[in-house]
Amino acid sequence: MNVDDLYRVLRAGHIQAQGIVDTITDPMLVLDESLRIQNASRSFFTTFKVDRDEVIGRLVYELGDGQWDIPDLRLLLQQVLPRSTAVIDFQVEHDFPRIGRRTMLLSARTLSHPDNVGLSMLLTMVDVTEQVRRNVAKDILFGELRHRIKNLLGVVRSIARQTSTKDRSAEEYRQAFLGRFEALVAAQDLAFGEQHSGNLQALIERVLEPYAGDQHAIVVEPGPPLEPLDPRRIQLLSLVLHELATNAAKYGSLSVSGGKVIAGYAKHGDEELGLTWREINGPRVTPPAATGYGTRLIQSTVTYSLGGTVELNYAATGLEATISIPIPKPVIHS
Amino acid sequence: MQKTVLIVEDDYLIAMDLKLMLEELGWQVIGPAATVHNALALLEKEPPAVALLDVSLGDELVTPVAELLKQRAIPFAVATAYAKPEQYGGPLLAAVPNVGKPAGQRRLQAVLAELTQE
């Protein structure tokens, strides 16, 4: 039963039975015209940690050493309510001596008795403190999410703009663009997935999966347990791994059958992460005459965006990449 | 006045996107810088006419760069997806124009023109 139901029951001429008042799940007071408390619901006593004797017959403003003497409540009961039959969800923030600072939604109705000229008021108070706190947390989360989406769109646009069109057919451009795009998709799955969230090993496996060909072309060596990586680093590493893989498929060990990639990672001390990439059984390697965009993307992402170092060793037997990035201990922001 | 702009943005791809757009608009780009440290060093070495700042740089905030820019009276704009950058980067970013993220070329042009007129 809510306050409106009770209002109807009482208006129909019923007495204010304690039983009915107690069916109200939210704390409720029944006040007379002079704002003296005639009755209170059981949940009023439990919520505000007060006894029956402290409440019934007292003026509402005197309750619990004046804890209900709230300017907003006075405004509601003395100014707003007499001019309207009902006030719904009037928000009040107040420090209550026994329960602390709370946000309450107050609803009130006036009730004229059919048998006499007297007036009663029904006043319910719903504690929405937790709900308000949750809403604030939700707003922050929503802001973060929006920030990530916009950032992601910025990255996608940049990839579209910077993926080269030079000496390429439209079909080739699309292939190159979509390859990078898929790396971002993989990063999203691993950054916010229900499983393997922030897991580097799972990211490496996921990004290299399209290049695995026969099952043995790619070996991901198991690494040490790591703290989950943040979404930003997951996304950047995903792009780097993709560029390594696509280069290997075009020029390196993954361009021939029997060629292999051995990828792995290790912790260097507390605040550094190492990634290794070794190509074997591929064609004989000579260092490229000019640096392609893919290689520049690898180098810039590691050194510029991740603040790390990258070494590309074009050994005759196959490319060896050694990447090292700092992983600072998380700073606790207030 | 020389049309020089310092870009402070921690993501290489987004920094390059801004750089290409600004160069098409006739600006000479200084940087980009990915960290507060590098941005401050560039400001000392090669003071720009204006600056374009991302608010959140990896694990740090751009605020010290904004402070030095203000001190040197170099006008700047932010390029961030945050609706209220001051909630993250402090009150110094409150009245600063935001080209948004991803920034559109026309908006970039309009904001930088506004900054250089003051």
Side-chain angles (χ1 to χ4, degrees), chain A residues 68-287:
Chain A
W68 285 96
D69 193 357
I70 305 168
D72 282 343
L73 181 62
R74 276 186 185 268
L75 181 78
L76 174 72
L77 293 178
Q78 290 168 336
Q79 305 289 324
V80 182
L81 200 55
R83 285 190 230 124
S84 55
T85 49
V87 174
I88 310 288
D89 291 348
F90 183 87
Q91 189 169 320
V92 170
E93 256 193 79
H94 185 65
D95 270 311
F96 291 92
R98 291 184 212 176
I99 57 173
R101 188 155 191 87
R102 285 286 189 269
T103 306
M104 297 277 172
L105 288 183
L106 304 182
S107 294
R109 282 204 88 118
T110 48
L111 183 70
S112 39
H113 291 272
D115 302 335
N116 58 42
V117 290
L119 277 174
S120 295
M121 286 183 206
L122 303 179
L123 178 65
T124 59
M125 45 280 281
V126 182
D127 186 344
V128 290
T129 312
E130 273 310 306
Q131 195 184 323
V132 167
R133 200 172 291 160
R134 274 200 302 274
N135 285 349
V136 169
K138 228 182 263 174
D139 284 350
I140 292 172
L141 195 66
F142 185 75
E144 275 305 313
L145 195 62
R146 199 184 52 168
H147 183 255
R148 277 180 195 153
I149 289 170
K150 289 192 166 187
N151 210 68
L152 185 61
L153 286 174
V155 169
V156 172
R157 189 179 70 185
S158 180
I159 288 174
R161 201 193 300 276
Q162 288 176 64
T163 295
S164 176
T165 54
K166 200 165 169 265
D167 302 327
R168 270 183 174 167
S169 68
E171 179 65 28
E172 285 166 338
Y173 170 84
R174 184 167 66 184
Q175 284 296 326
F177 170 77
L178 286 178
R180 289 177 179 142
F181 183 80
E182 288 304 327
L184 293 178
V185 174
Q188 291 302 305
D189 283 351
L190 267 300
F192 305 107
E194 285 171 10
Q195 285 184 319
H196 308 303
S197 191
N199 184 311
L200 182 59
Q201 177 117 14
L203 178 75
I204 298 173
E205 285 165 4
R206 169 75 199 272
V207 176
L208 301 188
E209 194 191 322
Y211 299 91
D214 71 68
Q215 295 284 308
H216 310 291
I218 289 169
V219 179
V220 182
E221 291 178 325
L226 293 178
E227 291 287 307
L229 288 174
D230 55 288
R232 179 174 175 270
R233 287 191 173 85
I234 285 282
Q235 182 174 307
L236 293 166
L237 287 175
S238 181
L239 284 170
V240 169
L241 287 163
H242 166 76
E243 293 306 322
L244 285 168
T246 189
N247 273 348
K250 268 189 275 182
Y251 316 111
S253 63
L254 298 181
S255 68
V256 295
S257 108
K260 268 190 179 193
V261 166
I262 300 163
Y265 64 92
K267 264 157 82 171
H268 301 152
D270 263 2
E271 302 200 338
E272 203 175 270
L273 176 67
L275 264 153
T276 54
W277 175 276
R278 200 151 51 88
E279 297 180 24
I280 56 169
N281 302 343
R284 194 179 162 74
V285 170
T286 48

Side-chain angles (χ1 to χ4, degrees), chain A residues 144 146-147 150-151 153-155 157-159 161-162 232-233 236 239 293 297 300 304-305 328, chain B residues 9-17 20-21 32-34 58-59 81-83 88 101-103:
Chain A
E144 275 305 313
R146 199 184 52 168
H147 183 255
K150 289 192 166 187
N151 210 68
L153 286 174
V155 169
R157 189 179 70 185
S158 180
I159 288 174
R161 201 193 300 276
Q162 288 176 64
R232 179 174 175 270
R233 287 191 173 85
L236 293 166
L239 284 170
Y293 179 69
L297 187 56
S300 302
Y304 184 93
S305 304
Chain B
E9 160 65 59
D10 66 317
D11 190 298
Y12 170 74
L13 282 165
I14 289 172
M16 284 302 116
D17 206 34
L20 285 176
M21 280 193 288
D59 305 312
Y82 292 125
Y88 302 86
K101 188 181 262 190

Side-chain angles (χ1 to χ4, degrees), chain B residues 17-101:
Chain B
D17 206 34
L18 287 171
K19 183 172 191 272
L20 285 176
M21 280 193 288
L22 288 166
E23 283 173 352
E24 273 178 27
L25 293 170
W27 286 85
Q28 189 196 325
V29 171
I30 299 172
T35 61
V36 168
H37 178 83
N38 288 354
L40 294 178
L42 276 174
L43 268 177
E44 294 294 346
K45 206 176 99 192
E46 208 175 343
V50 297
L52 193 56
L53 314 179
D54 183 20
V55 173
S56 160
L57 303 174
D59 305 312
E60 55 184 7
L61 288 167
V62 80
T63 316
V65 181
E67 279 163 3
L68 188 62
L69 285 166
K70 193 183 156 117
Q71 204 183 314
R72 301 277 161 90
I74 297 171
F76 60 93
V78 291
T80 176
Y82 292 125
K84 291 183 179 162
E86 66 273 17
Q87 284 183 345
Y88 302 86
L92 207 50
L93 302 183
V96 171
N98 185 0
V99 298
K101 188 181 262 190

Side-chain angles (χ1 to χ4, degrees), chain A residues 28-63:
Chain A
M28 191 194 78
L29 294 175
V30 181
L31 308 175
D32 69 12
E33 246 170 308
S34 61
L35 304 179
R36 203 170 283 281
I37 295 160
Q38 295 180 310
N39 206 343
S41 69
R42 192 175 296 152
S43 55
F44 182 87
F45 302 120
T46 52
T47 303
F48 297 102
K49 301 187 172 40
V50 285
D51 289 331
R52 206 177 166 74
D53 303 343
E54 296 177 83
V55 172
I56 306 297
R58 306 281 297 273
L59 284 171
V60 67
Y61 302 136
E62 296 171 359
L63 274 186

